[in-house]
């Protein structure tokens, strides 16, 4: 698929996987809108990406329907919608320590958010358009402290399959990353981030953990392949095998 002059909304585009995807889409000639809750992060990403003529930013909390509706009313027609957003602060806890507020933030960012993006964004897409969301390996390899994230990732993949049927011919897919070296790991492992990722790299058949660009490649494939819908594309270095 030629990305030249395509218009793409990337929620979570100010860091990590979303930022890598935004850079790739801009390099291919697309017009990109990166959205997120933090004005400071959006401004920093805008400066880092450059391309002021082709790049917009939008502050939005995708867990709030009024803000999502206002966003789509403002930005107009689109070719593709992507969300890499995930608020998992405080969610990686053993069951006795889990606070409902933290669990609710995960649900809002990784389930209600995609649901609202589909509800209000699908009417803005052409029949050849797509929605792509990011789930994760926790749905397949859950660990202690990860029950909330595992459950929400699995729910998101179920939503993707249902939306692919309801919104057809618009395509709806998910990418399920494994362990990827992004800032989100500060919430998971804290100061032990580097050692934790290094230990996993030794276990994986791929011999390393993921990079944001690996996930950007996978999302780019799903955006461009017109015969893929209702799918979950696993990009996890063989994590499900070990």
């Amino acid at each position: 698929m030629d990305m030249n002059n395509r218009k793409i909304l990337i929620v979570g585009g100010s860091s990590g996987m979303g930022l890598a995807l935004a850079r790739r889409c801009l390099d291919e000639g697309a017009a990109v809108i990166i959205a997120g809750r933090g004005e400071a992060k959006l401004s920093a990403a805008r400066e880092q990406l450059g391309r002021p003529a082709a790049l917009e930013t939008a502050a939005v909390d995708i867990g709030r329907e009024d803000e999502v509706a206002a966003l789509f009313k403002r930005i107009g027609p689109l070719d593709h919608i992507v969300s890499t957003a995930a608020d998992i602060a405080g969610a990686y806890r053993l069951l006795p320590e889990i606070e409902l507020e933290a669990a609710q933030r995960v649900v809002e960012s990784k389930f209600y958010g995609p649901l609202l993006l589909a509800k209000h964004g699908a009417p803005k897409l052409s029949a050849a358009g797509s929605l792509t969301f990011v789930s994760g390996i926790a749905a397949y390899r859950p660990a202690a402290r990860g029950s909330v994230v595992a459950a929400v990732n699995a729910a998101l993949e179920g939503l993707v399959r249902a939306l692919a049927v309801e919104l057809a011919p618009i395509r709806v897919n998910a990418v399920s990353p494994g362990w990827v070296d992004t800032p989100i790991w500060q919430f998971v492992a804290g100061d032990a981030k580097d050692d934790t990722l290094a230990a996993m790299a030794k276990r994986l058949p791929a011999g390393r953990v993921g990079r944001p660009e690996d996930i950007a490649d996978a999302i780019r494939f799903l955006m461009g392949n017109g015969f893929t819908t209702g799918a979950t594309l696993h990009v996890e270095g063989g994590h499900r095998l070990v």
Side-chain angles (χ1 to χ4, degrees), residues 11-199:
V11 180
S14 62
S15 65
M17 306 169 196
L19 183 64
L21 177 65
R23 182 178 292 107
R24 174 160 182 171
C25 292
L26 288 166
D27 287 345
E28 293 188 44
V32 175
I33 303 163
I34 57 172
R37 292 183 304 176
E39 292 275 12
K41 287 182 66 177
L42 289 169
S43 295
R46 183 182 183 89
E47 183 175 346
Q48 183 177 348
L49 290 168
R51 318 288 179 84
L55 178 65
E56 298 179 44
T57 62
V60 62
D61 181 346
I62 60 171
R64 295 180 56 90
E65 185 164 13
D66 58 337
E67 293 190 21
V68 174
L71 171 67
F72 284 110
K73 184 176 181 180
R74 179 173 68 81
I75 63 179
L78 293 163
D79 294 291
H80 302 281
I81 299 169
V82 177
S83 180
T84 66
D87 185 349
I88 64 168
Y92 273 91
R93 297 286 189 272
L94 293 173
L95 190 59
E97 303 166 359
I98 290 176
E99 295 184 1
L100 185 58
E101 183 179 352
Q104 288 172 331
R105 287 196 298 267
V106 182
V107 176
E108 288 172 359
S109 63
K110 295 206 70 175
F111 185 82
Y112 290 150
L115 181 68
L116 292 173
L117 290 171
K119 177 181 177 180
H120 294 280
K124 300 292 186 178
L125 293 170
S126 70
S130 73
L131 297 114
T132 308
F133 304 118
V134 174
S135 59
I137 188 64
Y140 299 87
R141 288 291 183 270
R145 304 194 307 132
S147 58
V148 172
V149 176
V152 175
N153 282 341
L156 176 58
E157 292 182 12
L159 177 66
V160 161
R161 291 188 289 272
L163 291 178
V165 175
E166 180 171 343
L167 297 179
I170 292 170
R171 296 176 297 104
V172 187
N173 294 291
V175 171
S176 178
W179 289 27
V180 180
D181 189 355
T182 66
I184 204 169
W185 271 93
Q186 293 300 131
F187 296 114
V188 180
D191 293 340
K193 171 189 171 182
D194 291 342
D195 290 342
T196 302
L197 293 179

Side-chain angles (χ1 to χ4, degrees), residues 213-236:
E213 292 75 16
D214 297 319
I215 311 308
D217 285 345
I219 296 172
R220 175 63 179 86
F221 166 79
L222 291 173
M223 291 165 60
N225 189 286
F227 200 55
T228 304
T229 192
T232 297
L233 178 56
H234 296 276
V235 188
E236 32 79 311

